Amino acid sequence: MPIRYEELEAKALEALPHTLVDYVAGGCGNERTQDANVSAFDRLGIVPRMFRASRERDLSIELFGMRLPTPLFMSPIGVIGLCAQDGHGDVATAKAASRTGVPMVASTLTVDPLEDVAAHFGATPGFFQLYTPTDRDLAESFVRRAEIAGYKAIVVTLDTWVTGWRPRDLRSGHFPQLRGHCLENYFSDERFRSMLLKPPQDDLQAATLQWAKIFGCPLTWDDLPWLRSLTKLPLLVKGICHPEDARRAIDGGVDGIYCSNHGGRQANGGIAAIDMLPAVVKAAGKTPVLFDSGVRTGVDVIKALALGATAVGIGRPYAYGLALDGVEGIVHVLRCLLAEADLFMAINGFPTRADLQPEIVQRIAG
Ligand SMILES: Cc1cc2nc3c(=O)[nH]c(=O)nc-3n(C[C@H](O)[C@H](O)[C@H](O)COP(=O)(O)O)c2cc1C
């Protein structure tokens, strides 16, 4: 297994079926936002401190009353199921979560139903990411199922009620969901099945078309009270990048903000997600802010924490680990990130999370 991200990515893209490469590696438009997400971390530097050596470091965090051994989580990746060589990548991710204590945020778009995924979390908490369908009863059914299956929080993704302009997918014509892949949460749902004339397995095309009709609801602020009413579990909203949106969502009762630009896959606005994080953190006050988009190294994790993220989401890197070596591959990727972060904290004199504050980060000119 490669240690450096660049080698991991190159090797995984060779290993993945060509039908998936564009979907996983590609982004929106000319992909400048996707690239900026990564390169923006290189413009942030950290000033080391000496005479603060500590043999023990503590990377643990507190989130919604849970003590987590690391500040990482695995961001929701629809089609992660297909990235595994055995076609059950959601279950593999859940097993890796169990092994590492790094929570998985399970996407709505899974190969295996959310209940089967949750069965492998072990003692690690799992979160369910909701793509809000136009049918409110279906949304409610997903949330109810997630609660019963033991998920510990609901993450509502706001930036993907319609798919962004993705030239690579348009060129390849390969959009997995439109081929009926990763729709098991829908196909196993009584409410969704009631919308079909025949069971999905008897008419996959009709079921897939029905999915396409109901997949994304263009949510507005008027929908927030309804979303809030769906669950007593911690509710997070994913895709928040503007401080005013963070404030308004918190006023509307959400428990967590998830600052992300979807890894540059949805809208090609040009600003790296990490550059939007500090303002969101400031606006969020005491409310936890989860962050992802562009994190590739353990030092990136430290920079995001120092800029105020409560927890840091890993996206494509774990998909590539999975593609190469299943559960072991994900565990390897997470352990590399954590080892680098831990050594960085050790050598630079920041033994605990509390030592990682905005003032240790300096913007590098040019
Ligand atoms: C192939 C792929 C599928 C994704 N599917 C979802 C999804 O189902 N739900 C969601 O909220 N975000 C999804 N995302 C976005 C991730 O949760 C995360 O925001 C993004 O991967 C972070 O960017 P990075 O991978 O460049 O670090 C997906 C990302 C990728 C790469």
Side-chain angles (χ1 to χ4, degrees):
M1 284 292 292
I3 308 284
R4 289 186 65 226
Y5 174 76
E6 291 75 12
E7 288 163 25
L8 174 81
E9 178 186 51
K11 201 167 171 186
L13 292 181
E14 272 173 32
L16 278 169
H18 73 94
T19 48
L20 274 182
V21 167
D22 284 332
Y23 188 82
V24 177
C28 194
N30 60 13
E31 300 187 353
R32 292 218 182 105
T33 304
Q34 167 165 315
D35 297 341
N37 280 340
V38 177
S39 60
F41 279 98
D42 297 334
R43 295 197 317 273
L44 302 173
I46 294 199
V47 186
R49 302 300 304 271
M50 294 298 129
F51 276 125
R52 287 163 42 153
S54 167
R55 285 184 196 281
E56 301 278 322
R57 276 78 57 191
D58 181 4
L59 278 87
S60 69
I61 59 159
E62 178 98 14
L63 186 64
F64 306 129
M66 294 174 278
R67 171 95 354 224
L68 299 173
T70 91
L72 302 187
F73 66 93
M74 288 182 271
S75 299
I77 296 194
V79 313
I80 196 73
L82 300 180
C83 293
Q85 292 173 21
D86 70 355
H88 292 280
D90 306 290
V91 166
T93 306
K95 288 181 179 169
S98 170
R99 286 262 302 275
T100 56
V102 174
M104 168 188 190
V105 184
S107 170
T108 310
L109 300 168
T110 49
V111 167
D112 291 294
L114 61 93
E115 292 82 0
D116 295 6
V117 177
H120 296 276
F121 285 152
T124 305
F127 307 147
F128 178 69
Q129 177 263 321
L130 177 72
Y131 276 137
T132 316
T134 51
D135 184 84
R136 283 190 166 195
D137 291 340
L138 181 58
E140 192 164 348
S141 174
F142 283 155
V143 172
R144 210 58 65 230
R145 286 172 57 190
E147 287 174 343
I148 293 167
Y151 288 81
K152 300 287 185 248
I154 304 292
V155 176
V156 179
T157 297
L158 301 175
D159 60 13
T160 313
W161 53 273
V162 65
T163 306
W165 180 254
R166 297 188 194 159
R168 290 208 220 188
D169 289 340
L170 292 167
R171 184 186 56 197
S172 69
H174 233 284
F175 197 77
Q177 295 87 301
L178 290 178
R179 293 172 189 252
H181 295 302
C182 306
L183 302 182
E184 211 41 54
N185 281 331
Y186 300 82
F187 295 171
S188 61
D189 193 280
E190 283 310 315
R191 172 65 193 157
F192 183 81
R193 292 169 81 92
S194 74
M195 299 172 191
L196 305 174
L197 294 174
K198 290 183 189 165
Q201 59 274 23
D202 292 345
D203 194 344
L204 183 62
Q205 201 178 6
T208 304
L209 275 176
Q210 180 59 27
W211 168 80
K213 277 190 203 151
I214 55 93
F215 167 70
C217 182
L219 296 172
T220 70
W221 288 112
D222 293 340
D223 295 303
L224 183 53
W226 164 71
L227 279 172
R228 178 63 279 184
S229 75
L230 284 178
T231 185
K232 291 199 166 34
L233 287 176
L235 179 73
L236 294 98
V237 277
K238 178 170 187 270
I240 299 283
C241 293
H242 195 292
E244 265 174 38
D245 291 348
R247 267 190 290 269
R248 196 162 170 187
I250 293 165
D251 287 347
V254 307
D255 303 287
I257 297 292
Y258 189 151
C259 176
S260 160
N261 63 11
H262 215 105
R265 295 167 61 76
Q266 274 300 89
N268 202 26
I271 307 181
I274 191 69
D275 288 336
M276 297 188 271
L277 177 66
V280 170
V281 166
K282 191 165 176 228
K286 289 193 177 349
T287 303
V289 177
L290 278 64
F291 171 82
D292 77 23
S293 295
V295 176
R296 299 291 179 263
T297 71
V299 179
D300 295 344
V301 172
I302 299 294
K303 290 174 183 173
L305 291 171
L307 291 177
T310 311
V312 180
I314 308 304
R316 289 177 178 96
Y318 86 85
Y320 295 148
L322 171 68
L324 288 175
D325 198 15
V327 180
E328 297 301 328
I330 302 180
V331 171
H332 168 81
V333 166
L334 296 174
R335 290 185 63 198
C336 284
L337 288 163
L338 288 167
E340 188 186 6
D342 176 58
L343 284 170
F344 186 88
M345 287 169 77
I347 292 160
N348 287 279
F350 309 118
T352 68
R353 169 68 189 88
D355 297 305
L356 305 173
Q357 296 299 328
E359 48 275 14
I360 72 168
V361 182
Q362 275 192 21
R363 200 157 280 277
I364 300 167

